[in-house]
Amino acid sequence: MGELFGAERYGCQPDLITCAKGLTSGYAPLGATIVSERLMEPFLKDTAMFAHGYTFGGHPVSTAVALANLDAFDNENILGHVRNNTGAFRATLERLLDLPIVGDVRGDGYFFGIELVRDKATKETFDEDESERLLRGFLSKALFDAGLYCRADDRGDPVIQLSPPLICDQTHFDEIEQILRSVLTEAGSLL
């Protein structure tokens, strides 16, 4: 999104945020729960506590990795890079809207979904069997084999989810679009 948390991007003030992989960029296991002062306040009085346990809670290696990762985000202006390139990523993906199978391109930052449809004019989607054949039977493997690591949603919704590395630029966006165009054109011919 170009912010540490999507809530910042949209001006929301959540009471609770859970986070994990982004803390360490996936280099070490670590998760966190961030709570508002309002939710935390009862636990700061006397001997009140929230009884819970986590086997690796506060692990020094993972927390050191997280601190180094957050420093890299600042030193390399990773979030600024995403903010500066969001429009280019969107525009590149929207070129796919000329394909009959692409009903919508939506998202923000470096997190986008491409909705696949049976009928572009009516936005009619695929039935369960068609989605299964399209997503698991063809797209997942074809996209991977073509060099694009993404998610052709395995929950049955005909949506391709994209979340490229935060250092990607227009060269990468063009490659993503070319792979998607080729594979989606083939998928459309199979229907």
Side-chain angles (χ1 to χ4, degrees):
M1 297 289 146
E3 305 293 340
L4 285 177
F5 301 102
E8 294 174 279
R9 172 86 170 184
Y10 300 109
C12 298
Q13 183 61 49
D15 285 322
L16 181 77
I17 295 175
T18 60
C19 55
K21 292 174 271 202
L23 287 171
T24 66
S25 287
Y27 291 113
L30 185 67
T33 301
I34 304 164
V35 298
S36 68
E37 288 185 30
R38 182 179 69 81
L39 287 184
M40 189 63 193
E41 190 270 328
F43 300 104
L44 299 175
K45 293 181 179 172
D46 303 318
T47 59
M49 67 175 281
F50 177 68
H52 71 290
Y54 183 70
T55 304
F56 297 107
H59 193 281
V61 173
S62 291
T63 52
V65 171
L67 290 172
N69 183 58
L70 293 171
D71 283 345
F73 266 63
D74 285 341
N75 296 337
E76 299 173 26
N77 193 28
I78 300 295
L79 299 176
H81 176 78
V82 171
R83 284 190 301 271
N84 292 337
N85 286 283
T86 296
F89 188 36
R90 174 184 295 280
T92 304
L93 293 176
E94 286 177 344
R95 294 190 309 225
L96 297 167
L97 288 168
D98 69 332
L99 296 176
I101 195 171
V102 176
D104 193 19
V105 173
R106 58 182 174 264
D108 200 0
Y110 276 23
F111 188 65
F112 273 82
I114 299 173
E115 182 180 4
L116 306 178
V117 294
R118 178 187 305 144
D119 185 313
K120 192 176 192 85
T122 65
K123 303 283 187 188
E124 180 185 1
T125 190
F126 299 97
D127 66 31
E128 191 175 323
D129 289 338
E130 290 170 326
S131 285
E132 180 72 17
R133 284 193 312 273
L134 179 65
L135 300 172
R136 291 187 187 179
F138 177 72
L139 282 175
S140 291
K141 183 176 181 344
L143 289 167
F144 185 81
D145 288 348
L148 182 59
Y149 183 73
C150 61
R151 180 176 178 171
D153 197 342
D154 59 357
R155 291 174 281 185
D157 292 329
V159 176
I160 296 172
Q161 298 174 16
L162 301 163
S163 54
L166 302 180
I167 59 169
C168 286
D169 59 25
Q170 188 62 52
T171 304
H172 303 106
F173 303 156
D174 289 338
E175 182 179 3
I176 290 168
E177 188 269 344
Q178 289 166 7
I179 292 170
L180 284 166
R181 179 170 296 282
S182 173
V183 172
L184 291 175
T185 298
E186 186 178 352
S189 72
L190 298 174
L191 299 173

